[in-house]
Amino acid sequence: MGQRRMYMKYFKFMMYLVVVVLVNLAGLTLFFRLDLTENKIYSLSEASREVVSTLSEPLTINVFFTRNLPAPYNTIERYLQDLLKEYAIRANRFFNYRFYDVSPEAEGATETARENQKLADNYGIRPVQIQAFEKDAVKFKKAYMGLVMIHGDLIERLPTISSTDGLEYRLTTAIQKLNDKISALLNLKEKLNVTLILSSSIRQVAPVIGIQQIEDYPEKTRRIVGSLNEKMYGKLDYTYIDPSISGDSERLSTEYKLMQLRWPAMTDENIPAGSGMVGMVVTYGKKAREIPILRAVRLPLIGTQYELTPIDRLEETIGEAIETLIDINEDLGYLESHGTLSVSARPESGRQPSDGLSSFSSLVSQRYSLKPVRLAEGGIPESLRCLVIVRPTQPFTDYELFEIDQALMRGTSLAVIVDAFKQEMPGAQQPFGAPPGPGFVPLDTGLGKLLEHYGLRIAPAIVMDEHCLSQALPRQMGGGEVPVYYVPIIQNQNINQKLDFMENIRGLIGIRMSPVWTIADRISQNGLVAHTLFSSSEKSWEMRDRIQLNPMFLSLPPEGTERKRYPLAHLLEGEFPSYFDGKPIPEKPVDTPRTAPAEGVKTPPPPAGAPAAGQPETQVKKIEKKGDVIRKGRPAKLFVMASADMLSDSVMDPEGKTPNTVFVLNLLDTLNGREQIAVMRSKQQRFNPLRESASSTKTLVKAVNVAGLSILVVMFGVCVWWRRHMRKKQIQRMFQEQTGGGI
């Protein structure tokens, strides 16, 4: 019997041992991690997982980090190790990383450590000086805290990692930068198709409209696509469709937005009545990108002119369309005309103006290539995913508004950040008694009619808010603080956090903002979706007409003034209808001489496509065109905010960590189709303010904290005393019952 018990004991021990071994083996293969933080800051974002799982070439990360660093640097290496481990779990076989020992000489560096220090120096990773508290004394020591990423022949460095804030964002964006167009092309599961759609019938009217070069266009396009195919690893196919022969005109006009021409019989040129279609389409799977290779432009004095994309620019145009189609385009358009704030301007004497955009330019350039757009010098490129317009002060012509409208129709998202007023400095003849400081006059550039057509209206007013920042006064002015009502504090409850890129934005600071109202009927009619991103508090009012923003002369409005929330920023998305639907194309302004040339001065030749001398312009007018105006656009987004100061250096910080800065960067990523990057960036937002409470609520909380705890202790003591008293009486009754009621 005893021997059997001993065998059972050994059997149980072996079973427990097998279970422990199996659990450990399962732990090596099955990865499970629970992140209980609200923003999931210790979990990889979806964008990070996608980037490392789609690597097509080996990526190696070499980390040079000094060991046993003092607080707070000692946690950075541990966090970096955990982060790279999770990258490795989510990545494919091309992801590798390694930590190098770079212990300093004072800590007995080995020969290997010295070699690693030389390797770090070769990669451009230099030691930095940090503070250390040892034996109640402050000491300074040098430490390596950087890494280098090697992807093919490309190298990207993070020379100094002094904090864990935003580290995942920095790593992921750097890896994505390295995983460039080559990697994207190698991962394509099918080929891109470049299709030229050109009706042979158009060749009959080509001399009339001045596009004779269209005769050789199909063959030259085939050669260009063939040359481009060699650079893109054989991922391109070329197709030429002649709708005049294939009979696909109706299907193609429904599926794509291309130029269509229709002309009557021209007896003088022996041209019969006919029609045709011309354009180019790049397709990949179900996605398509049209390239308008023929444009119709109206010029004053000359009339309608047709412009064909030059064959020498066709390769660049196709390349830009391909980059946009497979989502590797990182250009961000910025309007640098019409008096907009310049992102390339440099301050004088080393001083930065308060309304400069150097912080905005620096932060955006880390993620995008800012591409200046000047409407008078070539228009808006078709490859742009987003165009930013900041504080234009000069009016737009109808043709320039047409270009902006058609860019939105092509699917280019717009960020319109304007001012409703123009600031003017007071003159020498300032009225007596007028408050000092600049004045403000209404500003109308013409963009307002476009925005109202889409469903948004900017009110000619400045929002004032009682919940605002305060400005400290100097002693000579009495000290204290004065409220700056035109700098509202946007509270957490007034921010739309239902959108992913706004989820972790818990507070913002506005400055000189005008209300942006939605036109509900227009938005519903257009089939768009409107999102109010943030609003002022319910204690807000408007300042209209005579605008004066000197804080010393501002006061609360009189009793009876309406106070309410005012919407300050909106995002529209959907398929926008064109403002120019049913309207003729506006004339394109050109510089033409208004007087006759002087004697002996040769007259410049007419532009290409203009009617030849002696040729009646009525022949060109007889040609009907269709598809020159995109009447219903592709899905796009439109953001409108009436405060350009929100992008100034006085609001955006150079490090990109404040909620205002994160909001702007998240917005641009969202407009550019990279919302996952925006979500990953905002994970690091730890600003979590308390909700504003009423005075009665604050008084109640104070009373509970001061007297409530004491009352609870007394009540608990009374309950304990009462319980003991009742137990004592119960024992007495039980004793009396057992003794018969007496002693």
Side-chain angles (χ1 to χ4, degrees):
M1 192 71 177
Q3 189 175 7
R4 183 179 178 184
R5 289 181 178 176
M6 186 173 61
Y7 286 149
M8 289 299 296
K9 187 183 296 183
Y10 286 135
F11 178 75
K12 288 182 180 179
F13 174 76
M14 293 301 298
M15 290 299 297
Y16 293 153
L17 183 62
V18 170
V19 170
V20 171
V21 172
L22 291 177
V23 169
N24 279 274
L25 290 175
L28 292 175
T29 56
L30 301 177
F31 177 77
F32 177 78
R33 189 175 183 179
L34 186 61
D35 188 352
L36 299 179
T37 57
E38 183 179 3
N39 296 345
K40 304 298 179 184
I41 60 176
Y42 294 105
S43 300
L44 280 187
S45 304
E46 188 62 33
S48 300
R49 299 176 186 178
E50 182 179 352
V51 166
V52 295
S53 63
T54 57
L55 292 172
S56 58
E57 295 181 5
L59 171 69
T60 302
I61 300 180
N62 295 331
V63 183
F64 302 94
F65 220 97
T66 302
R67 297 178 181 176
N68 302 321
L69 293 177
Y73 307 105
N74 52 356
T75 60
I76 299 176
E77 183 183 10
R78 180 71 263 175
Y79 176 81
L80 186 57
Q81 287 179 350
D82 294 340
L83 185 62
L84 292 178
K85 283 181 182 178
E86 193 157 353
Y87 272 115
I89 291 171
R90 305 294 182 181
N92 57 20
R93 60 188 177 89
F94 292 113
F95 182 86
N96 301 281
Y97 72 93
R98 178 182 175 184
F99 279 77
Y100 286 84
D101 179 19
V102 284
S103 301
E105 296 286 344
E107 299 180 9
T110 62
E111 184 64 30
T112 303
R114 285 191 285 269
E115 292 295 330
N116 293 339
Q117 291 176 12
K118 294 179 181 178
L119 182 62
D121 292 338
N122 292 335
Y123 282 131
I125 307 297
R126 305 285 189 266
V128 295
Q129 191 170 4
I130 62 173
Q131 285 186 355
F133 292 91
E134 296 180 1
K135 299 179 180 181
D136 298 330
V138 178
K139 296 183 178 180
F140 294 91
K141 60 185 303 183
K142 291 186 177 181
Y144 287 88
M145 296 188 299
L147 59 83
V148 59
M149 288 170 280
I150 306 170
H151 189 52
D153 295 331
L154 302 178
I155 294 178
E156 187 73 17
R157 304 173 186 84
L158 297 183
T160 304
I161 305 175
S162 57
S163 172
T164 60
D165 292 342
L167 185 54
E168 181 194 353
Y169 172 77
R170 295 175 65 187
L171 280 173
T172 298
T173 52
I175 294 172
Q176 193 171 34
K177 182 179 179 180
L178 291 172
N179 195 20
D180 55 3
K181 182 169 61 176
I182 297 177
S183 300
L185 288 169
L186 292 176
N187 282 326
L188 293 179
K189 297 180 180 180
E190 53 186 281
K191 290 188 175 183
L192 294 149
N193 190 273
V194 181
T195 303
L196 175 65
I197 302 172
L198 176 60
S199 301
S200 55
S201 55
I202 292 182
R203 298 173 183 173
Q204 301 174 1
V205 295
V208 177
I209 60 179
I211 55 171
Q212 293 91 334
Q213 64 269 37
I214 204 169
E215 182 75 26
D216 302 327
Y217 219 80
E219 178 60 25
K220 291 182 178 179
T221 303
R222 184 188 65 79
R223 296 176 185 173
I224 289 175
V225 174
S227 174
L228 195 59
N229 190 36
E230 296 178 359
K231 303 176 184 178
M232 295 193 173
Y233 300 91
K235 294 293 184 178
L236 300 183
D237 278 337
Y238 172 69
T239 305
Y240 169 50
I241 298 178
D242 184 354
S244 301
I245 300 176
S246 63
D248 286 347
S249 298
E250 185 175 351
R251 178 186 66 83
L252 293 172
S253 62
T254 304
E255 191 171 354
Y256 306 117
K257 296 177 175 63
L258 302 175
M259 174 74 78
Q260 301 174 58
L261 302 178
R262 187 181 301 275
W263 57 90
M266 303 178 186
T267 55
D268 295 343
E269 287 78 14
N270 295 323
I271 299 175
S275 63
M277 179 183 299
V278 58
M280 185 176 292
V281 181
V282 182
T283 58
Y284 176 68
K286 296 181 179 180
K287 297 190 294 184
R289 185 78 181 184
E290 296 98 343
I291 301 177
I293 60 177
L294 181 64
R295 301 175 183 274
V297 181
R298 290 182 57 202
L299 300 176
L301 303 180
I302 297 177
T304 302
Q305 173 187 351
Y306 289 89
E307 298 177 348
L308 189 67
T309 300
I311 203 69
D312 56 353
R313 289 192 61 245
L314 195 57
E315 180 174 344
E316 178 184 355
T317 305
I318 296 174
E320 291 177 351
I322 291 173
E323 291 178 357
T324 303
L325 197 63
I326 60 179
D327 198 24
I328 59 174
N329 176 42
E330 294 187 358
D331 282 342
L332 180 67
Y334 185 88
L335 186 67
E336 279 206 344
S337 60
H338 296 79
T340 59
L341 294 178
S342 176
V343 293
S344 58
R346 294 290 181 268
E348 296 181 1
S349 303
R351 299 181 61 186
Q352 178 63 44
S354 60
D355 62 347
L357 299 183
S358 62
S359 295
F360 170 81
S361 175
S362 175
L363 291 170
V364 172
S365 297
Q366 295 175 12
R367 176 66 183 160
Y368 299 98
S369 297
L370 278 173
K371 190 168 188 176
V373 174
R374 301 174 181 86
L375 298 180
E377 301 177 10
I380 303 172
E382 289 82 2
S383 62
L384 285 182
R385 297 284 298 272
C386 176
L387 175 65
V388 182
I389 303 174
V390 181
R391 191 188 283 174
T393 56
Q394 300 171 6
F396 293 84
T397 65
D398 285 344
Y399 185 80
E400 291 166 341
L401 293 177
F402 172 74
E403 288 195 329
I404 295 174
D405 174 88
Q406 291 299 285
L408 185 63
M409 297 304 106
R410 293 194 298 267
T412 300
S413 296
L414 298 179
V416 181
I417 305 172
V418 297
D419 284 343
F421 297 91
K422 184 178 181 180
Q423 181 174 318
E424 291 186 347
M425 299 306 296
Q429 302 298 326
Q430 186 176 2
F432 178 77
F440 296 86
V441 296
L443 179 62
D444 182 14
T445 61
L447 282 174
K449 57 185 179 183
L450 273 188
L451 299 180
E452 290 193 15
H453 171 76
Y454 303 140
L456 295 176
R457 178 182 293 116
I458 298 176
I462 299 293
V463 173
M464 316 294 281
D465 197 337
E466 187 175 345
H467 192 79
C468 61
L469 286 181
S470 297
Q471 180 179 350
L473 294 177
R475 288 185 178 181
Q476 56 268 28
M477 298 184 65
E481 294 183 341
V482 59
V484 186
Y485 295 122
Y486 61 85
V487 185
I489 297 177
I490 313 299
Q491 299 166 296
N492 189 16
Q493 59 266 30
N494 295 325
I495 298 176
N496 183 3
Q497 296 167 347
K498 296 180 181 179
L499 301 175
D500 290 340
F501 76 96
M502 297 287 294
E503 183 178 1
N504 295 319
I505 305 297
R506 307 293 171 84
L508 296 169
I509 302 295
I511 179 169
R512 292 193 298 193
M513 306 195 75
S514 299
V516 181
W517 297 100
T518 56
I519 307 175
D521 295 340
R522 187 68 55 81
I523 291 176
S524 177
Q525 179 183 354
N526 294 341
L528 303 174
V529 179
H531 305 283
T532 302
L533 297 187
F534 56 87
S535 307
S536 63
S537 74
E538 68 279 359
K539 298 181 180 180
S540 302
W541 69 96
E542 287 182 327
M543 176 182 284
R544 288 177 172 265
D545 302 328
R546 188 177 178 181
I547 305 296
Q548 178 54 245
L549 300 182
N550 189 326
M552 300 299 298
F553 293 89
L554 297 178
S555 61
L556 292 174
E559 293 292 336
T561 303
E562 181 184 15
R563 295 212 202 177
K564 61 180 180 180
R565 288 187 176 91
Y566 289 90
L568 302 177
H570 281 284
L571 179 67
L572 299 185
E573 55 182 337
E575 298 178 356
F576 290 81
S578 174
Y579 174 79
F580 293 90
D581 184 11
K583 302 176 183 178
I585 299 178
E587 290 186 349
K588 181 179 180 180
V590 294
D591 296 329
T592 54
R594 299 299 181 185
T595 58
E599 184 177 355
V601 178
K602 295 183 178 180
T603 303
Q615 178 180 331
E617 188 188 338
T618 55
Q619 299 290 3
V620 178
K621 290 184 177 180
K622 292 179 181 179
I623 301 176
E624 299 178 7
K625 51 188 179 298
K626 183 180 178 182
D628 52 341
V629 177
I630 305 176
R631 292 170 169 79
K632 189 74 172 180
R634 293 186 173 277
K637 297 178 181 180
L638 170 64
F639 169 76
V640 177
M641 179 174 66
S643 173
D645 291 314
M646 295 289 282
L647 269 63
S648 66
D649 291 340
S650 60
V651 178
M652 295 189 66
D653 70 299
E655 296 182 357
K657 294 183 179 181
T658 62
N660 273 58
T661 306
V662 172
F663 162 71
V664 172
L665 298 179
N666 283 0
L667 172 71
L668 295 179
D669 282 334
T670 300
L671 295 178
N672 219 49
R674 290 178 167 84
E675 193 165 4
Q676 292 181 349
I677 298 294
V679 173
M680 177 177 59
R681 180 191 294 109
S682 60
K683 275 180 24 176
Q684 303 297 330
Q685 278 296 297
R686 301 180 183 181
F687 177 65
N688 196 11
L690 297 175
R691 285 185 174 273
E692 189 72 18
S693 302
S695 299
S696 57
T697 304
K698 295 178 181 179
T699 303
L700 178 61
V701 172
K702 289 179 181 179
V704 170
N705 288 334
V706 173
L709 293 177
S710 301
I711 294 174
L712 286 176
V713 171
V714 172
M715 291 179 63
F716 180 76
V718 171
C719 291
V720 172
W721 172 83
W722 179 257
R723 184 173 179 273
R724 290 179 179 178
H725 178 71
M726 294 304 296
R727 183 171 179 270
K728 180 179 179 181
K729 294 185 65 175
Q730 183 180 5
I731 293 174
Q732 289 178 349
R733 285 196 302 267
M734 291 174 59
F735 181 75
Q736 290 174 357
E737 290 175 357
Q738 291 177 1
T739 59
I743 301 176

